[in-house]
Amino acid sequence: MKTHEVIKPKCLIVDDEPLARDVLRRYCNKLPVLHLVGECSNAIDAYLFLQTNEVDILFLDIRMPELLGTELVQSIKNPPKVIFTTAYKEYAWDGFELDAVDYLLKPIRFDRFLKAVNKALPGLENVLLTNESFEMERKSGIDSIYLRIDRKQVRIVLDEILYIESDKDYIKIFTQEKMYLCRQTISSIESMIDKSEFVRIHRSFIVPIKKIKSYTHELVEINKKELPIGKFYLNHFLKIVATGAS
């Protein structure tokens, strides 16, 4: 072996959502210091994989069918460094009780992913990307999210959203073609989408900035639909539309 070769930390992705695995795979491939050795769609397959394969970093979803990510970690005698991933903030404490390196909330931003990797691999300067690469990744962002609708994980393309409306414990996502009804809070959706692309204008409404046709201090017009601007959100909204950034 050449003397200058570096042994790369081995990583395993475990998540039952295809989109989540795609995002993590892309992020891992952008960091030359990491070596992605496998992907599993459930914790049971991951358990079997770990019996015969050495892994340094485990990107692990918490909420999965049959066996939770936290239960997987508890079943392993000498678990690797664990970076938990989930769409549910309430699972954070369970993860940290198991000495996880970090906890990433979906949809995972590249800057948070990079921060978590640096926690797992302190002192490895080649983890850091150039500013140009980081800016390109930041701008590329995430173009869709998966939401549980009618017992299925449904892909919602962010660019197709006209506006999002809260209705008690549900949200309505309106697109040009149809309306999606999902049992989720508007605050949880707000945390999943890019704040440079969307702005909350009311306790019950979130809108995509580039689809705003016109506005006053009371109303926003999108696709011939007028939506109210709440007094609490007005100043922030005016700042966003004036600068074009959050």
Side-chain angles (χ1 to χ4, degrees):
M1 184 175 70
K2 297 179 181 180
T3 57
H4 65 272
E5 288 182 349
V6 177
I7 299 176
K8 298 181 179 181
K10 299 176 181 179
C11 305
L12 176 67
I13 296 170
V14 185
D15 201 303
D16 62 326
E17 298 179 4
L19 177 64
R21 295 198 302 273
D22 290 345
V23 170
L24 288 170
R25 183 192 316 115
R26 178 161 57 88
Y27 288 174
C28 286
N29 290 337
K30 290 188 71 67
L31 299 181
V33 72
L34 300 181
H35 175 40
L36 182 60
V37 294
E39 300 178 24
C40 299
S41 61
N42 61 76
I44 295 175
D45 287 349
Y47 177 83
L48 297 175
F49 183 92
L50 291 168
Q51 300 308 300
T52 55
N53 295 274
E54 182 179 339
V55 171
D56 300 297
I57 302 177
L58 187 60
F59 295 100
L60 180 61
D61 186 24
I62 294 181
R63 188 170 180 176
M64 292 182 288
E66 298 183 354
L67 188 68
L68 297 177
T70 48
E71 294 172 334
L72 171 63
V73 175
Q74 291 171 326
S75 69
I76 305 172
K77 289 184 179 180
N78 297 302
K81 293 181 179 180
V82 177
I83 298 174
F84 279 117
T85 65
T86 185
Y88 303 91
K89 290 182 179 180
E90 58 267 29
Y91 287 100
W93 182 250
D94 294 338
F96 285 125
E97 278 193 327
L98 295 172
D99 296 324
V101 172
D102 207 344
Y103 171 95
L104 300 177
L105 186 65
K106 299 176 184 178
I108 300 168
R109 303 288 303 208
F110 183 67
D111 56 340
R112 280 292 292 119
F113 173 85
L114 187 61
K115 183 178 179 180
V117 171
N118 277 319
K119 284 184 180 180
L121 306 172
L124 290 185
E125 295 179 357
N126 53 344
V127 170
L128 298 175
L129 299 180
T130 64
N131 290 336
E132 181 180 358
S133 298
F134 182 85
E135 183 65 15
M136 288 177 63
E137 182 60 44
R138 186 190 70 80
K139 288 182 178 179
S140 66
I142 295 174
D143 65 354
S144 61
I145 56 176
Y146 276 86
L147 297 176
R148 187 172 179 81
I149 299 172
D150 295 332
R151 299 182 179 180
K152 297 182 293 184
Q153 293 292 332
V154 178
R155 181 172 178 256
I156 309 293
V157 178
L158 297 180
D159 194 50
E160 295 178 357
I161 295 176
L162 296 175
Y163 63 94
I164 302 169
E165 180 180 359
S166 173
D167 186 2
K168 295 183 179 179
D169 293 331
Y170 290 82
I171 58 164
K172 298 176 181 178
I173 300 178
F174 292 85
T175 69
Q176 193 75 48
E177 301 296 327
K178 64 184 298 184
M179 185 271 288
Y180 299 92
L181 183 65
C182 174
R183 185 177 178 83
Q184 199 156 334
T185 65
I186 194 168
S187 295
S188 66
I189 290 295
E190 187 177 18
S191 69
M192 297 172 67
I193 55 181
D194 190 342
K195 290 182 176 56
S196 68
E197 303 288 339
F198 290 82
V199 60
R200 190 164 180 177
I201 62 170
H202 189 277
R203 66 179 182 178
S204 299
F205 291 100
I206 295 175
V207 301
I209 299 169
K210 67 181 181 181
K211 287 190 169 64
I212 297 174
K213 183 176 181 180
S214 64
Y215 67 89
T216 67
H217 282 204
E218 292 81 30
L219 296 170
V220 164
E221 182 187 353
I222 293 180
N223 198 40
K224 299 182 180 179
K225 175 75 173 181
E226 291 185 338
L227 305 173
I229 300 176
K231 292 182 179 179
F232 178 78
Y233 300 91
L234 177 59
N235 288 339
H236 178 66
F237 169 74
L238 294 175
K239 179 181 178 182
I240 293 297
V241 293
T243 61
S246 58

